[in-house]
Amino acid sequence: MPKHASSHASTAPLDPASYPTWGALRWLLLIRLLLVVGLTLVFSPNAVDPLLARADTELAWSALLVYTLLVLLSGLSLYGQWPARKQQVYLAILVDIVVFTLLMHAAGGVASGLGILLTVTVAAGALTMEGRLTLLFAALATIAVIAQQGYQAIQGQAPAFTQAGLLGILFFAVALISQMLYHRARTAEALAARRQVDLDDLSKLNEFIIQNMATGILVADGERRLRLMNQATRELLGIAHDRHAPGVALGAVSTALAAELERLVQPGAHRQAVVSHHGRALRVSVKLLGAHRASGVILYLRDDREATAEAQRIKLAALGTLTASIAHNIRNPLSAISHAAELCAEAPGLAGDEQQLLAIVHRNSARIDEIVSSVLELSRRDRMQRQTLELYDWLRGFVDEFTESRQLGPRRLHLHLERDPGTVVADPRHLHQILANLCENALVHGGDGPVTLVLDRDHHTRRPLLEVIDQGPGIAPEVADAIFDPFFTTRHSGTGLGLYIARELAESNAMTLALLPNRPSGCRFRLLFATTTDEDRAD
């Protein structure tokens, strides 16, 4: 958008160099041609004006002939645009003053009334040129009239200096009025130009905003013909940029969309629907531009999967806030219960049943505390601190630390490198928790067999991947789809949040966590890391 042009146009003063325009010179030429025709009729032999009966026709026709030639010559100069515009106006005004003064003298002086032609010349010059020159034109016309009257007095004719003076006053009055009209016209023209620039800039801004909106915008008229379609709509509908110009029928763009639109605009119909276009589900919202069909409609298009995912993110964010608040309020009384149980356990002379009851309190308090810690960690999943990690080196450190902290035997957890994936971008704390949860599950459900971390690259996308494989009995097919649901567990002592939190943290880092079939037994969880594009989208 031309911001600089807009601001400059709105603050720049009127430029005198731009006046007079070639259009104004053409109007001046037209006026002079009309004056030539009118004066020819006035001095024709059939004229009946008694004031012109005693006119010096020889002088008048000579002046008219020269004037006609000069006007035609000015037309050629205007066509060739030489000399410059101001010089052409100067010459035209001077020629008119001289010729009209001669014609007035030929007709008998001021009493003939032809002196009014000088008023037209003064006004034309004032409206064509800069305002400061209007008084100069008036002064030249006044001097010419007074000089003509002085010449009459020298010739022995009765001069009319009073009428000449009044005519001079009229010249200056016309010059001043023309000057005001000149400035008002210039101001109005400059204002119109600024408004046009602002409108053009606003139109470009609106077009830029619409074309760069993530939501698809499609406008159709009453005949259901395309009027506007932004880039997001083209991407959603799979349309090339050079196809379907404005005016094309909506049915040619999308048959399903056109058919659904007719249903959505019916009175009482819900203005939203999901339309299938080339196997892609699109969520369509309709906005009527008026009460009548001829007013047209606006269609808002979104990928239904993205809309559903966004709604899910909003719901999870609200749920995370709620659960975090509940977890904080649970932790305080839970700490009091645990502390009270510890004090009771220290009391002397407790019976075996009492000790067993206190052990139940301890055990379940610890389980609740684990659930609260998991919920709080989940509510903080958006507080990421991403870093660039050398994945293989980082995993070697993780395996050493996990093996030592769990006091695992040799070869119980080992890292196998298929292909070096290089670097990845992720939050190391989140990645550590994801792998800790997966490895804990593998150790618990995998029996005494080894747990293997396989580092590789995806064959199709070339994205880095990490697989956690155990040799246990595996997961039954009937519960495989539910293992990532919150609080789903196959153990009485489990919280059911480990895999759910792992998947949520993976998605927060633009990674994908999935359960894959493993042959002949065991479980295989695959963590697919993000590419640069995926990381940008996640941000």
Side-chain angles (χ1 to χ4, degrees), residues 505-539:
L505 293 177
E507 291 181 353
S508 298
N509 287 267
M511 295 183 271
T512 303
L513 178 61
L515 173 65
L516 302 180
N518 195 35
R519 298 292 185 270
S521 63
C523 288
R524 181 158 61 111
F525 287 92
R526 171 175 289 184
L527 184 64
L528 191 62
F529 290 85
T531 61
T532 304
T533 304
D534 296 328
E535 292 157 8
D536 294 339
R537 290 177 180 172
D539 290 335

PDB file of all heavy atoms in Angstrom, residues 505-539:
ATOM      1  N   LEU A 505       2.069 -33.084  25.585  1.00  0.00           N
ATOM      2  CA  LEU A 505       3.357 -32.395  25.511  1.00  0.00           C
ATOM      3  C   LEU A 505       3.973 -32.521  24.129  1.00  0.00           C
ATOM      4  O   LEU A 505       4.617 -31.592  23.626  1.00  0.00           O
ATOM      5  CB  LEU A 505       4.308 -32.956  26.568  1.00  0.00           C
ATOM      6  CG  LEU A 505       3.932 -32.692  28.030  1.00  0.00           C
ATOM      7  CD1 LEU A 505       4.927 -33.370  28.955  1.00  0.00           C
ATOM      8  CD2 LEU A 505       3.865 -31.199  28.310  1.00  0.00           C
ATOM      9  N   ALA A 506       3.789 -33.671  23.488  1.00  0.00           N
ATOM     10  CA  ALA A 506       4.306 -33.846  22.131  1.00  0.00           C
ATOM     11  C   ALA A 506       3.632 -32.893  21.166  1.00  0.00           C
ATOM     12  O   ALA A 506       4.295 -32.236  20.345  1.00  0.00           O
ATOM     13  CB  ALA A 506       4.102 -35.297  21.686  1.00  0.00           C
ATOM     14  N   GLU A 507       2.318 -32.777  21.253  1.00  0.00           N
ATOM     15  CA  GLU A 507       1.601 -31.868  20.354  1.00  0.00           C
ATOM     16  C   GLU A 507       1.981 -30.422  20.616  1.00  0.00           C
ATOM     17  O   GLU A 507       2.017 -29.609  19.689  1.00  0.00           O
ATOM     18  CB  GLU A 507       0.097 -32.070  20.514  1.00  0.00           C
ATOM     19  CG  GLU A 507      -0.389 -33.413  19.976  1.00  0.00           C
ATOM     20  CD  GLU A 507      -1.888 -33.576  20.129  1.00  0.00           C
ATOM     21  OE1 GLU A 507      -2.527 -32.703  20.780  1.00  0.00           O
ATOM     22  OE2 GLU A 507      -2.425 -34.577  19.604  1.00  0.00           O
ATOM     23  N   SER A 508       2.261 -30.085  21.878  1.00  0.00           N
ATOM     24  CA  SER A 508       2.693 -28.721  22.180  1.00  0.00           C
ATOM     25  C   SER A 508       4.015 -28.395  21.501  1.00  0.00           C
ATOM     26  O   SER A 508       4.293 -27.239  21.186  1.00  0.00           O
ATOM     27  CB  SER A 508       2.829 -28.537  23.693  1.00  0.00           C
ATOM     28  OG  SER A 508       1.589 -28.722  24.343  1.00  0.00           O
ATOM     29  N   ASN A 509       4.840 -29.399  21.264  1.00  0.00           N
ATOM     30  CA  ASN A 509       6.133 -29.210  20.603  1.00  0.00           C
ATOM     31  C   ASN A 509       6.084 -29.587  19.127  1.00  0.00           C
ATOM     32  O   ASN A 509       7.122 -29.829  18.511  1.00  0.00           O
ATOM     33  CB  ASN A 509       7.199 -30.061  21.299  1.00  0.00           C
ATOM     34  CG  ASN A 509       7.593 -29.501  22.652  1.00  0.00           C
ATOM     35  OD1 ASN A 509       8.537 -28.736  22.774  1.00  0.00           O
ATOM     36  ND2 ASN A 509       6.858 -29.884  23.703  1.00  0.00           N
ATOM     37  N   ALA A 510       4.865 -29.645  18.558  1.00  0.00           N
ATOM     38  CA  ALA A 510       4.663 -29.961  17.140  1.00  0.00           C
ATOM     39  C   ALA A 510       5.197 -31.340  16.780  1.00  0.00           C
ATOM     40  O   ALA A 510       5.658 -31.571  15.666  1.00  0.00           O
ATOM     41  CB  ALA A 510       5.294 -28.886  16.241  1.00  0.00           C
ATOM     42  N   MET A 511       5.153 -32.257  17.750  1.00  0.00           N
ATOM     43  CA  MET A 511       5.546 -33.643  17.506  1.00  0.00           C
ATOM     44  C   MET A 511       4.297 -34.521  17.480  1.00  0.00           C
ATOM     45  O   MET A 511       3.224 -34.103  17.923  1.00  0.00           O
ATOM     46  CB  MET A 511       6.515 -34.118  18.582  1.00  0.00           C
ATOM     47  CG  MET A 511       7.853 -33.398  18.591  1.00  0.00           C
ATOM     48  SD  MET A 511       8.980 -34.069  19.839  1.00  0.00           S
ATOM     49  CE  MET A 511       8.545 -33.053  21.250  1.00  0.00           C
ATOM     50  N   THR A 512       4.460 -35.736  16.979  1.00  0.00           N
ATOM     51  CA  THR A 512       3.358 -36.689  16.900  1.00  0.00           C
ATOM     52  C   THR A 512       3.742 -37.959  17.642  1.00  0.00           C
ATOM     53  O   THR A 512       4.794 -38.547  17.380  1.00  0.00           O
ATOM     54  CB  THR A 512       3.039 -37.031  15.432  1.00  0.00           C
ATOM     55  OG1 THR A 512       2.747 -35.827  14.720  1.00  0.00           O
ATOM     56  CG2 THR A 512       1.827 -37.953  15.344  1.00  0.00           C
ATOM     57  N   LEU A 513       2.865 -38.382  18.579  1.00  0.00           N
ATOM     58  CA  LEU A 513       3.080 -39.616  19.343  1.00  0.00           C
ATOM     59  C   LEU A 513       1.986 -40.605  18.968  1.00  0.00           C
ATOM     60  O   LEU A 513       0.798 -40.272  19.041  1.00  0.00           O
ATOM     61  CB  LEU A 513       3.047 -39.326  20.843  1.00  0.00           C
ATOM     62  CG  LEU A 513       3.221 -40.534  21.768  1.00  0.00           C
ATOM     63  CD1 LEU A 513       4.576 -41.189  21.532  1.00  0.00           C
ATOM     64  CD2 LEU A 513       3.059 -40.121  23.237  1.00  0.00           C
ATOM     65  N   ALA A 514       2.387 -41.791  18.562  1.00  0.00           N
ATOM     66  CA  ALA A 514       1.412 -42.784  18.110  1.00  0.00           C
ATOM     67  C   ALA A 514       1.864 -44.169  18.540  1.00  0.00           C
ATOM     68  O   ALA A 514       3.060 -44.443  18.732  1.00  0.00           O
ATOM     69  CB  ALA A 514       1.245 -42.732  16.597  1.00  0.00           C
ATOM     70  N   LEU A 515       0.864 -45.067  18.694  1.00  0.00           N
ATOM     71  CA  LEU A 515       1.122 -46.477  18.975  1.00  0.00           C
ATOM     72  C   LEU A 515       1.083 -47.235  17.663  1.00  0.00           C
ATOM     73  O   LEU A 515       0.100 -47.164  16.918  1.00  0.00           O
ATOM     74  CB  LEU A 515       0.067 -47.026  19.936  1.00  0.00           C
ATOM     75  CG  LEU A 515       0.108 -48.537  20.182  1.00  0.00           C
ATOM     76  CD1 LEU A 515       1.405 -48.935  20.876  1.00  0.00           C
ATOM     77  CD2 LEU A 515      -1.114 -48.976  20.999  1.00  0.00           C
ATOM     78  N   LEU A 516       2.156 -47.990  17.371  1.00  0.00           N
ATOM     79  CA  LEU A 516       2.240 -48.765  16.138  1.00  0.00           C
ATOM     80  C   LEU A 516       2.220 -50.260  16.463  1.00  0.00           C
ATOM     81  O   LEU A 516       2.663 -50.674  17.532  1.00  0.00           O
ATOM     82  CB  LEU A 516       3.525 -48.416  15.379  1.00  0.00           C
ATOM     83  CG  LEU A 516       3.719 -46.949  14.983  1.00  0.00           C
ATOM     84  CD1 LEU A 516       5.030 -46.789  14.235  1.00  0.00           C
ATOM     85  CD2 LEU A 516       2.559 -46.445  14.149  1.00  0.00           C
ATOM     86  N   PRO A 517       1.692 -51.064  15.548  1.00  0.00           N
ATOM     87  CA  PRO A 517       1.715 -52.522  15.786  1.00  0.00           C
ATOM     88  C   PRO A 517       3.150 -53.039  15.799  1.00  0.00           C
ATOM     89  O   PRO A 517       3.992 -52.575  15.024  1.00  0.00           O
ATOM     90  CB  PRO A 517       0.910 -53.076  14.610  1.00  0.00           C
ATOM     91  CG  PRO A 517       0.988 -52.027  13.550  1.00  0.00           C
ATOM     92  CD  PRO A 517       1.051 -50.706  14.278  1.00  0.00           C
ATOM     93  N   ASN A 518       3.400 -53.967  16.678  1.00  0.00           N
ATOM     94  CA  ASN A 518       4.732 -54.540  16.803  1.00  0.00           C
ATOM     95  C   ASN A 518       4.657 -56.057  16.626  1.00  0.00           C
ATOM     96  O   ASN A 518       3.734 -56.699  17.124  1.00  0.00           O
ATOM     97  CB  ASN A 518       5.334 -54.209  18.170  1.00  0.00           C
ATOM     98  CG  ASN A 518       6.826 -54.455  18.214  1.00  0.00           C
ATOM     99  OD1 ASN A 518       7.515 -54.232  17.214  1.00  0.00           O
ATOM    100  ND2 ASN A 518       7.327 -54.900  19.352  1.00  0.00           N
ATOM    101  N   ARG A 519       5.571 -56.598  15.897  1.00  0.00           N
ATOM    102  CA  ARG A 519       5.591 -58.041  15.636  1.00  0.00           C
ATOM    103  C   ARG A 519       6.877 -58.655  16.205  1.00  0.00           C
ATOM    104  O   ARG A 519       7.954 -58.061  16.064  1.00  0.00           O
ATOM    105  CB  ARG A 519       5.513 -58.306  14.114  1.00  0.00           C
ATOM    106  CG  ARG A 519       4.238 -57.795  13.457  1.00  0.00           C
ATOM    107  CD  ARG A 519       3.001 -58.602  13.939  1.00  0.00           C
ATOM    108  NE  ARG A 519       1.792 -58.179  13.197  1.00  0.00           N
ATOM    109  CZ  ARG A 519       1.011 -57.206  13.623  1.00  0.00           C
ATOM    110  NH1 ARG A 519       1.297 -56.579  14.751  1.00  0.00           N
ATOM    111  NH2 ARG A 519      -0.062 -56.882  12.918  1.00  0.00           N
ATOM    112  N   PRO A 520       6.795 -59.810  16.846  1.00  0.00           N
ATOM    113  CA  PRO A 520       5.582 -60.614  17.080  1.00  0.00           C
ATOM    114  C   PRO A 520       4.845 -60.228  18.347  1.00  0.00           C
ATOM    115  O   PRO A 520       3.705 -60.624  18.566  1.00  0.00           O
ATOM    116  CB  PRO A 520       6.126 -62.037  17.176  1.00  0.00           C
ATOM    117  CG  PRO A 520       7.486 -61.837  17.783  1.00  0.00           C
ATOM    118  CD  PRO A 520       8.007 -60.542  17.246  1.00  0.00           C
ATOM    119  N   SER A 521       5.476 -59.445  19.250  1.00  0.00           N
ATOM    120  CA  SER A 521       4.828 -59.081  20.510  1.00  0.00           C
ATOM    121  C   SER A 521       5.397 -57.753  20.968  1.00  0.00           C
ATOM    122  O   SER A 521       6.314 -57.199  20.360  1.00  0.00           O
ATOM    123  CB  SER A 521       5.061 -60.183  21.562  1.00  0.00           C
ATOM    124  OG  SER A 521       6.457 -60.293  21.848  1.00  0.00           O
ATOM    125  N   GLY A 522       4.869 -57.291  22.083  1.00  0.00           N
ATOM    126  CA  GLY A 522       5.367 -56.050  22.646  1.00  0.00           C
ATOM    127  C   GLY A 522       4.642 -54.824  22.115  1.00  0.00           C
ATOM    128  O   GLY A 522       3.703 -54.908  21.321  1.00  0.00           O
ATOM    129  N   CYS A 523       5.087 -53.670  22.573  1.00  0.00           N
ATOM    130  CA  CYS A 523       4.522 -52.368  22.156  1.00  0.00           C
ATOM    131  C   CYS A 523       5.601 -51.544  21.469  1.00  0.00           C
ATOM    132  O   CYS A 523       6.791 -51.638  21.819  1.00  0.00           O
ATOM    133  CB  CYS A 523       3.998 -51.605  23.371  1.00  0.00           C
ATOM    134  SG  CYS A 523       2.490 -52.279  24.068  1.00  0.00           S
ATOM    135  N   ARG A 524       5.152 -50.721  20.535  1.00  0.00           N
ATOM    136  CA  ARG A 524       6.084 -49.835  19.832  1.00  0.00           C
ATOM    137  C   ARG A 524       5.433 -48.446  19.721  1.00  0.00           C
ATOM    138  O   ARG A 524       4.460 -48.261  18.998  1.00  0.00           O
ATOM    139  CB  ARG A 524       6.403 -50.373  18.444  1.00  0.00           C
ATOM    140  CG  ARG A 524       7.380 -49.495  17.668  1.00  0.00           C
ATOM    141  CD  ARG A 524       8.071 -50.290  16.560  1.00  0.00           C
ATOM    142  NE  ARG A 524       7.123 -50.817  15.598  1.00  0.00           N
ATOM    143  CZ  ARG A 524       7.023 -50.400  14.331  1.00  0.00           C
ATOM    144  NH1 ARG A 524       7.826 -49.450  13.897  1.00  0.00           N
ATOM    145  NH2 ARG A 524       6.164 -50.950  13.512  1.00  0.00           N
ATOM    146  N   PHE A 525       5.955 -47.503  20.482  1.00  0.00           N
ATOM    147  CA  PHE A 525       5.493 -46.121  20.436  1.00  0.00           C
ATOM    148  C   PHE A 525       6.461 -45.318  19.574  1.00  0.00           C
ATOM    149  O   PHE A 525       7.673 -45.376  19.790  1.00  0.00           O
ATOM    150  CB  PHE A 525       5.410 -45.513  21.836  1.00  0.00           C
ATOM    151  CG  PHE A 525       4.258 -46.032  22.648  1.00  0.00           C
ATOM    152  CD1 PHE A 525       4.424 -47.132  23.488  1.00  0.00           C
ATOM    153  CD2 PHE A 525       3.021 -45.427  22.568  1.00  0.00           C
ATOM    154  CE1 PHE A 525       3.368 -47.611  24.236  1.00  0.00           C
ATOM    155  CE2 PHE A 525       1.952 -45.895  23.319  1.00  0.00           C
ATOM    156  CZ  PHE A 525       2.126 -46.999  24.151  1.00  0.00           C
ATOM    157  N   ARG A 526       5.897 -44.554  18.639  1.00  0.00           N
ATOM    158  CA  ARG A 526       6.736 -43.741  17.743  1.00  0.00           C
ATOM    159  C   ARG A 526       6.508 -42.261  18.033  1.00  0.00           C
ATOM    160  O   ARG A 526       5.371 -41.774  18.044  1.00  0.00           O
ATOM    161  CB  ARG A 526       6.409 -44.032  16.283  1.00  0.00           C
ATOM    162  CG  ARG A 526       7.101 -43.067  15.308  1.00  0.00           C
ATOM    163  CD  ARG A 526       6.868 -43.428  13.867  1.00  0.00           C
ATOM    164  NE  ARG A 526       7.606 -44.642  13.504  1.00  0.00           N
ATOM    165  CZ  ARG A 526       7.631 -45.133  12.263  1.00  0.00           C
ATOM    166  NH1 ARG A 526       6.958 -44.543  11.301  1.00  0.00           N
ATOM    167  NH2 ARG A 526       8.328 -46.226  12.004  1.00  0.00           N
ATOM    168  N   LEU A 527       7.613 -41.549  18.242  1.00  0.00           N
ATOM    169  CA  LEU A 527       7.593 -40.097  18.425  1.00  0.00           C
ATOM    170  C   LEU A 527       8.211 -39.473  17.177  1.00  0.00           C
ATOM    171  O   LEU A 527       9.419 -39.623  16.933  1.00  0.00           O
ATOM    172  CB  LEU A 527       8.382 -39.709  19.680  1.00  0.00           C
ATOM    173  CG  LEU A 527       8.362 -38.233  20.060  1.00  0.00           C
ATOM    174  CD1 LEU A 527       6.955 -37.781  20.411  1.00  0.00           C
ATOM    175  CD2 LEU A 527       9.309 -37.963  21.229  1.00  0.00           C
ATOM    176  N   LEU A 528       7.388 -38.798  16.384  1.00  0.00           N
ATOM    177  CA  LEU A 528       7.833 -38.183  15.132  1.00  0.00           C
ATOM    178  C   LEU A 528       8.066 -36.699  15.375  1.00  0.00           C
ATOM    179  O   LEU A 528       7.144 -35.964  15.756  1.00  0.00           O
ATOM    180  CB  LEU A 528       6.788 -38.393  14.032  1.00  0.00           C
ATOM    181  CG  LEU A 528       7.192 -38.054  12.605  1.00  0.00           C
ATOM    182  CD1 LEU A 528       8.349 -38.930  12.144  1.00  0.00           C
ATOM    183  CD2 LEU A 528       6.000 -38.194  11.653  1.00  0.00           C
ATOM    184  N   PHE A 529       9.300 -36.258  15.186  1.00  0.00           N
ATOM    185  CA  PHE A 529       9.653 -34.872  15.472  1.00  0.00           C
ATOM    186  C   PHE A 529       9.203 -33.950  14.340  1.00  0.00           C
ATOM    187  O   PHE A 529       8.903 -34.388  13.231  1.00  0.00           O
ATOM    188  CB  PHE A 529      11.166 -34.737  15.696  1.00  0.00           C
ATOM    189  CG  PHE A 529      11.626 -35.369  16.964  1.00  0.00           C
ATOM    190  CD1 PHE A 529      11.931 -36.727  17.013  1.00  0.00           C
ATOM    191  CD2 PHE A 529      11.749 -34.625  18.116  1.00  0.00           C
ATOM    192  CE1 PHE A 529      12.359 -37.320  18.186  1.00  0.00           C
ATOM    193  CE2 PHE A 529      12.177 -35.210  19.299  1.00  0.00           C
ATOM    194  CZ  PHE A 529      12.471 -36.562  19.340  1.00  0.00           C
ATOM    195  N   ALA A 530       9.203 -32.659  14.650  1.00  0.00           N
ATOM    196  CA  ALA A 530       8.688 -31.669  13.702  1.00  0.00           C
ATOM    197  C   ALA A 530       9.752 -31.243  12.711  1.00  0.00           C
ATOM    198  O   ALA A 530      10.954 -31.273  12.998  1.00  0.00           O
ATOM    199  CB  ALA A 530       8.169 -30.442  14.445  1.00  0.00           C
ATOM    200  N   THR A 531       9.281 -30.834  11.529  1.00  0.00           N
ATOM    201  CA  THR A 531      10.147 -30.124  10.584  1.00  0.00           C
ATOM    202  C   THR A 531      10.113 -28.649  10.931  1.00  0.00           C
ATOM    203  O   THR A 531       9.366 -28.203  11.804  1.00  0.00           O
ATOM    204  CB  THR A 531       9.665 -30.342   9.146  1.00  0.00           C
ATOM    205  OG1 THR A 531       8.328 -29.811   9.026  1.00  0.00           O
ATOM    206  CG2 THR A 531       9.646 -31.822   8.792  1.00  0.00           C
ATOM    207  N   THR A 532      10.909 -27.854  10.214  1.00  0.00           N
ATOM    208  CA  THR A 532      10.934 -26.408  10.471  1.00  0.00           C
ATOM    209  C   THR A 532       9.577 -25.776  10.231  1.00  0.00           C
ATOM    210  O   THR A 532       9.121 -24.919  10.985  1.00  0.00           O
ATOM    211  CB  THR A 532      12.002 -25.734   9.581  1.00  0.00           C
ATOM    212  OG1 THR A 532      13.255 -26.359   9.814  1.00  0.00           O
ATOM    213  CG2 THR A 532      12.089 -24.251   9.901  1.00  0.00           C
ATOM    214  N   THR A 533       8.876 -26.197   9.174  1.00  0.00           N
ATOM    215  CA  THR A 533       7.555 -25.642   8.866  1.00  0.00           C
ATOM    216  C   THR A 533       6.575 -25.950   9.980  1.00  0.00           C
ATOM    217  O   THR A 533       5.787 -25.093  10.396  1.00  0.00           O
ATOM    218  CB  THR A 533       7.040 -26.207   7.532  1.00  0.00           C
ATOM    219  OG1 THR A 533       7.988 -25.928   6.517  1.00  0.00           O
ATOM    220  CG2 THR A 533       5.702 -25.578   7.162  1.00  0.00           C
ATOM    221  N   ASP A 534       6.604 -27.191  10.479  1.00  0.00           N
ATOM    222  CA  ASP A 534       5.706 -27.568  11.557  1.00  0.00           C
ATOM    223  C   ASP A 534       5.983 -26.757  12.812  1.00  0.00           C
ATOM    224  O   ASP A 534       5.062 -26.355  13.535  1.00  0.00           O
ATOM    225  CB  ASP A 534       5.845 -29.059  11.876  1.00  0.00           C
ATOM    226  CG  ASP A 534       5.426 -29.940  10.705  1.00  0.00           C
ATOM    227  OD1 ASP A 534       4.526 -29.514   9.978  1.00  0.00           O
ATOM    228  OD2 ASP A 534       6.003 -31.022  10.521  1.00  0.00           O
ATOM    229  N   GLU A 535       7.275 -26.481  13.080  1.00  0.00           N
ATOM    230  CA  GLU A 535       7.618 -25.692  14.257  1.00  0.00           C
ATOM    231  C   GLU A 535       7.082 -24.273  14.124  1.00  0.00           C
ATOM    232  O   GLU A 535       6.566 -23.678  15.074  1.00  0.00           O
ATOM    233  CB  GLU A 535       9.135 -25.660  14.444  1.00  0.00           C
ATOM    234  CG  GLU A 535       9.708 -27.033  14.820  1.00  0.00           C
ATOM    235  CD  GLU A 535      11.184 -27.141  14.470  1.00  0.00           C
ATOM    236  OE1 GLU A 535      11.758 -26.112  14.093  1.00  0.00           O
ATOM    237  OE2 GLU A 535      11.732 -28.249  14.571  1.00  0.00           O
ATOM    238  N   ASP A 536       7.159 -23.693  12.925  1.00  0.00           N
ATOM    239  CA  ASP A 536       6.640 -22.350  12.709  1.00  0.00           C
ATOM    240  C   ASP A 536       5.138 -22.310  12.942  1.00  0.00           C
ATOM    241  O   ASP A 536       4.601 -21.360  13.525  1.00  0.00           O
ATOM    242  CB  ASP A 536       6.970 -21.873  11.290  1.00  0.00           C
ATOM    243  CG  ASP A 536       8.463 -21.697  11.092  1.00  0.00           C
ATOM    244  OD1 ASP A 536       9.162 -21.561  12.115  1.00  0.00           O
ATOM    245  OD2 ASP A 536       8.921 -21.716   9.936  1.00  0.00           O
ATOM    246  N   ARG A 537       4.444 -23.340  12.473  1.00  0.00           N
ATOM    247  CA  ARG A 537       2.998 -23.368  12.682  1.00  0.00           C
ATOM    248  C   ARG A 537       2.655 -23.499  14.161  1.00  0.00           C
ATOM    249  O   ARG A 537       1.703 -22.908  14.654  1.00  0.00           O
ATOM    250  CB  ARG A 537       2.387 -24.535  11.907  1.00  0.00           C
ATOM    251  CG  ARG A 537       2.408 -24.324  10.390  1.00  0.00           C
ATOM    252  CD  ARG A 537       1.863 -25.542   9.680  1.00  0.00           C
ATOM    253  NE  ARG A 537       1.868 -25.346   8.238  1.00  0.00           N
ATOM    254  CZ  ARG A 537       1.582 -26.308   7.367  1.00  0.00           C
ATOM    255  NH1 ARG A 537       1.291 -27.535   7.785  1.00  0.00           N
ATOM    256  NH2 ARG A 537       1.592 -26.053   6.067  1.00  0.00           N
ATOM    257  N   ALA A 538       3.447 -24.324  14.861  1.00  0.00           N
ATOM    258  CA  ALA A 538       3.188 -24.494  16.290  1.00  0.00           C
ATOM    259  C   ALA A 538       3.391 -23.201  17.053  1.00  0.00           C
ATOM    260  O   ALA A 538       2.687 -22.913  18.012  1.00  0.00           O
ATOM    261  CB  ALA A 538       4.100 -25.590  16.860  1.00  0.00           C
ATOM    262  N   ASP A 539       4.355 -22.377  16.609  1.00  0.00           N
ATOM    263  CA  ASP A 539       4.594 -21.094  17.266  1.00  0.00           C
ATOM    264  C   ASP A 539       3.445 -20.143  17.045  1.00  0.00           C
ATOM    265  O   ASP A 539       3.198 -19.269  17.828  1.00  0.00           O
ATOM    266  CB  ASP A 539       5.896 -20.451  16.747  1.00  0.00           C
ATOM    267  CG  ASP A 539       7.116 -21.224  17.223  1.00  0.00           C
ATOM    268  OD1 ASP A 539       7.012 -21.900  18.258  1.00  0.00           O
ATOM    269  OD2 ASP A 539       8.163 -21.159  16.546  1.00  0.00           O
TER     270      ASP A 539
END
